[in-house]
Amino acid sequence: MSTPQRRPRRRDVHGVLLLDKPLGPSSNQALQAAKRLFNANKAGHTGSLDPLATGLLPLCFGEATKISSYLLEADKRYRARCRLGVRTDSGDAAGAITETRTVPASIDAAAIERALSPLRGDIEQIPPMYSALKHQGKRLYELARQGEEVERKSRRVHIARYDLLTRDGDELEFDIVCSSGTYVRTLVDDLGESLGCGAHVTSLRRLGVQPFDTPTMHTLAELEQMDAAARDALLIPVDAALARWPAVELTMDAARYIRQGQAVWVPHAPGEKRVRLYSPAGFMGIGETLDDGRIAPRRMMSWAVG
């Protein structure tokens, strides 16, 4: 009788992995696969990608999970393809077709640009029914699958870029840069309605999440071929995910007070609200600039307060 193999003991791993999520699995399924490969005690992702979507999914391991919410609220960049003339109940190719219309010959590049213009800048967007938002304790997509539709409040999002890249018949490709909380499927559906023919997303790839604008991503297949040391070497330091915030260098005395949870005066403190805190020994965590100019600790790494 063979002896059952023991699963490797989970370990403390700290850092950010820039995963290239494949087509098919959910973000959580991709996260769990990566977590198993790293034998990590703790891990989380930074905002879901639909199963249909591929591309950048930053995964936070260990202490990096403390900063995952800040990546969740970061601006994101997508390459989206859509098909004119067809609407689906989910807004993408995974859904059932609800309407088919003829694409007018008058829809040229100029007409598309006119339709895109109102969808840029600060806009109000109603989240789709096929989303993970909750209504009375249930996910909207669960209600949608039961044939229910409920009223959703609009939300303000910012669309920094919504540009047509290529057109091949009724297939369009766009470069989109948008704020957190934006639904690209809704952007495409709104464009289709503005053009009068409908549209849905056929493929979606996330290219960047601030501050990772031109990231080197790694696939699950690549990770499976590596040993533990090689995988660990791919992890980015926790503070690299906060690179868009100013750094505050603390003296030993100031760092001691910060560790005790006290705000400190820092010469020439930055005006930005959120900052990265560093002691002479290295990265400590996230701080906040108070109205009186002092710097207060807000989210500290365990190694900085132990």
Side-chain angles (χ1 to χ4, degrees):
M1 183 175 178
S2 61
T3 304
Q5 291 186 340
R6 283 188 175 183
R7 293 182 63 183
R9 178 177 293 182
R10 292 289 175 89
R11 62 198 182 101
D12 291 329
V13 182
H14 307 291
V16 179
L17 176 72
L18 302 183
L19 182 71
D20 188 346
K21 189 191 91 64
L23 181 71
S26 68
S27 292
N28 187 59
Q29 289 171 330
L31 166 68
Q32 296 306 321
K35 186 179 179 182
R36 286 192 296 271
L37 288 170
F38 278 88
N39 296 319
N41 276 324
K42 191 175 183 180
H45 64 68
T46 57
S48 296
L49 279 173
D50 293 336
L52 176 76
T54 65
L56 181 58
L57 181 67
L59 302 182
C60 295
F61 291 88
E63 287 295 279
T65 58
K66 292 180 177 179
I67 58 96
S68 60
S69 62
Y70 301 103
L71 282 174
L72 177 62
E73 65 188 33
D75 288 354
K76 299 171 177 66
R77 184 171 189 172
Y78 296 93
R79 185 66 49 84
R81 291 188 65 86
C82 81
R83 182 184 173 190
L84 299 178
V86 178
R87 295 186 79 193
T88 71
D89 56 5
S90 64
D92 61 23
I97 294 175
T98 58
E99 191 175 7
T100 301
R101 298 184 226 167
T102 300
V103 180
S106 59
I107 296 180
D108 56 12
I112 294 171
E113 176 58 29
R114 286 193 298 271
L116 287 172
S117 185
L119 297 174
R120 299 187 184 112
D122 291 326
I123 66 170
E124 293 290 324
Q125 187 180 75
I126 298 176
M129 276 300 299
Y130 280 86
S131 66
L133 298 177
K134 288 187 175 181
H135 174 77
Q136 297 179 350
K138 281 194 173 183
R139 300 286 186 185
L140 288 182
Y141 63 76
E142 294 174 343
L143 298 175
R145 288 169 183 165
Q146 297 169 7
E148 297 183 43
E149 182 163 352
V150 298
E151 186 177 353
R152 287 96 67 201
K153 290 184 178 179
S154 66
R155 56 169 67 178
R156 182 167 287 265
V157 295
H158 182 76
I159 312 302
R161 183 176 300 168
Y162 192 180
D163 297 338
L164 178 66
L165 295 177
T166 62
R167 180 176 184 178
D168 182 10
D170 294 340
E171 295 281 336
L172 310 179
E173 186 175 43
F174 296 98
D175 180 25
I176 299 172
V177 178
C178 55
S179 64
S180 173
T182 301
Y183 287 92
V184 173
R185 288 175 287 137
T186 300
L187 277 181
V188 167
D189 186 70
D190 289 344
L191 173 67
E193 291 308 285
S194 179
L195 292 171
C197 61
H200 71 281
V201 173
T202 55
S203 69
L204 182 66
R205 182 165 178 78
R206 186 190 282 166
L207 301 179
V209 175
Q210 283 190 342
F212 306 117
D213 295 325
T214 55
T216 299
M217 295 180 264
H218 309 283
T219 66
L220 289 171
E222 290 173 11
L223 297 175
E224 289 170 353
Q225 299 302 313
M226 297 178 178
D227 59 25
R231 281 192 290 264
D232 286 354
L234 299 179
L235 294 177
I236 296 171
V238 178
D239 57 324
L242 309 174
R244 66 189 187 278
W245 300 351
V248 172
E249 303 287 345
L250 301 169
T251 64
M252 289 293 290
D253 287 341
R256 184 172 67 253
Y257 286 116
I258 285 286
R259 289 190 188 97
Q260 296 170 359
Q262 300 180 44
V264 298
W265 293 102
V266 175
H268 312 295
E272 287 87 341
K273 195 72 171 176
R274 292 171 178 162
V275 296
R276 293 172 287 145
L277 298 177
Y278 293 85
S279 73
F283 178 61
M284 296 183 69
I286 295 168
E288 180 182 345
T289 305
L290 302 180
D291 292 340
D292 61 8
R294 291 181 301 157
I295 301 294
R298 285 294 176 260
R299 201 79 168 102
M300 304 302 291
M301 301 294 105
S302 61
W303 58 74
V305 297

